Amino acid sequence: MDRSPALLLLLALGFCCPGIHGQSLKMKVTSPSDITQLRVGGRLELECHTDKDSGASWIRQDKRGTLHFIVFINSMSRATFGGDQRTAARFEASKDNKIYRLVVKSFTPQDEGNYFCTMIFSQTMYFSPGQPAFLPVTTTVAAPTTRGPTPKRGITEDSNLKTPDPARRMQEELDFSCHIFIWVPLAGACLLLLIALVITIVLCRRTRRRRCRCKR
């Protein structure tokens, strides 16, 4: 495809300069097939309908805005592709009365873009409305995310039951302290009474033995 500076300048002038898009020439680009169902390797057929018979050119504008010259078809139905070639391996061009046709034999992602038909009439360049030709966007379905196992309610309740209650624990400590203060003195008093009882019994026995010796 020819992308010479002179061609790009002419095309830029056709897009930007006022007065070029005149009303004296009518141009319309259509497709005989459903262009929304494009597939890789399929055929793209475009038709440029005009009301003049003065030759037409096909150009493509890619996604970055770069213009690519494809073919020029003169009024005698002679096609000239980029590089001054009569034929192209990937394209077909023809003319039927005032309809200029372009066929992309095997559509690829590199062929995506807006297609324009241009004509020069009365020293003025005219551009048709752009015809977008893009492959359908494929959407991928996201895989379902796996969630971890949710804890069972019973297990949570059991773990909560094992957790000691601070108030209950404090009450138990107070009860234990009270038991110590009560039972330790009581046990000590009982031990003292037991010792005193033993001492009393021993003294009584000695006193009895002395009395018995005196009587004899």
Side-chain angles (χ1 to χ4, degrees):
M1 298 181 185
D2 187 7
R3 288 184 291 176
S4 62
L7 174 63
L8 297 181
L9 178 60
L10 288 174
L11 297 178
L13 290 174
F15 278 114
C16 303
C17 294
I20 290 182
H21 295 273
Q23 300 297 326
S24 59
L25 181 62
K26 296 181 181 179
M27 303 175 65
K28 181 177 66 174
V29 176
T30 61
S31 176
S33 59
D34 188 0
I35 202 170
T36 61
Q37 300 298 324
L38 277 176
R39 294 292 183 270
V40 175
R43 288 170 62 91
L44 172 63
E45 300 180 5
L46 298 174
E47 294 181 350
C48 179
H49 299 262
T50 69
D51 59 353
K52 301 295 181 181
D53 189 7
S54 59
S57 298
W58 283 99
I59 61 173
R60 177 178 64 89
Q61 184 182 31
D62 61 20
K63 296 179 180 179
R64 295 176 298 179
T66 305
L67 299 174
H68 303 263
F69 171 76
I70 300 176
V71 63
F72 169 73
I73 309 170
N74 64 12
S75 59
M76 303 300 294
S77 302
R78 180 179 176 179
T80 304
F81 294 90
D84 199 20
Q85 299 294 322
R86 297 291 182 86
T87 60
R90 299 177 54 245
F91 302 101
E92 291 179 357
S94 62
K95 174 180 174 295
D96 183 9
N97 197 4
K98 297 179 182 179
I99 299 176
Y100 297 83
R101 293 185 175 91
L102 173 68
V103 176
V104 182
K105 298 179 182 179
S106 180
F107 197 84
T108 65
Q110 296 179 353
D111 297 316
E112 291 184 315
N114 292 310
Y115 286 78
F116 296 89
C117 179
T118 66
M119 296 186 69
I120 297 178
F121 181 73
S122 298
Q123 299 180 352
T124 305
M125 178 176 286
Y126 297 88
F127 280 79
S128 70
Q131 173 62 57
F134 296 93
L135 293 170
V137 179
T138 57
T139 57
T140 57
V141 180
T145 56
T146 57
R147 296 181 179 178
T150 55
K152 296 182 179 180
R153 186 175 181 181
I155 296 177
T156 305
E157 291 177 353
D158 293 341
S159 60
N160 291 336
L161 291 176
K162 292 180 182 179
T163 304
D165 187 3
R168 183 178 179 182
R169 184 175 180 180
M170 185 178 295
Q171 184 64 34
E172 291 177 353
E173 291 178 356
L174 291 176
D175 293 343
F176 180 74
S177 300
C178 292
H179 293 165
I180 291 176
F181 286 117
I182 293 174
W183 290 105
V184 168
L186 184 60
C190 292
L191 181 61
L192 292 176
L193 290 176
L194 180 60
I195 294 173
L197 180 61
V198 171
I199 293 174
T200 303
I201 293 173
V202 172
L203 291 176
C204 290
R205 288 182 177 179
R206 289 181 179 180
T207 304
R208 288 180 180 178
R209 289 178 180 177
R210 290 177 181 178
R211 288 178 179 179
C212 292
R213 290 177 182 179
C214 292
K215 288 181 178 181
R216 291 178 181 178

